[in-house]
Amino acid sequence: MRERKVTDTLVELLIATVHRIKARADGKVTKELINAFKRVTGKENILFKVADAALGNPDDPVRADE
C-alpha cells in the first residue's frame, strides 16, 4: 500500500514537471517567433500582400509552386 502511494506521488511529480517544462518551452518558442517577426524588414507590406492574396482567392494557395 505504501509503495503504491509513493509511486503515485512520484508519477504526479513527474507529470507536473513535464507540464512546467512544456509551458516554458512554448513560451520560449513564442517569444523567439515574435522576435524573429520583429526583425523582418518590410513585414507590413508582406502581411498585406499575404492577406490580400488569401482574401482574393481563399481556396487557392498564397503562392503557386513553380
Side-chain angles (χ1 to χ4, degrees):
M1 180 81 154
R2 173 107 171 107
E3 188 176 321
R4 274 192 243 163
K5 285 184 180 180
V6 169
T7 302
D8 288 345
T9 303
L10 287 173
V11 169
E12 288 173 9
L13 286 171
L14 176 62
I15 290 171
T17 302
V18 168
H19 284 294
R20 278 190 297 246
I21 291 170
K22 183 185 181 306
R24 275 192 262 156
D26 288 345
K28 184 176 180 181
V29 168
T30 302
K31 187 176 179 180
E32 287 177 6
L33 287 173
I34 289 170
N35 288 337
F37 176 73
K38 288 178 182 177
R39 287 191 303 265
V40 174
T41 57
K43 62 184 166 244
E44 291 86 4
N45 292 333
I46 294 169
L47 288 175
F48 284 128
K49 287 179 184 178
V50 169
D52 187 42
L55 291 173
N57 301 304
D59 295 328
D60 295 340
V62 174
R63 178 174 61 183
D65 292 333
E66 295 179 18

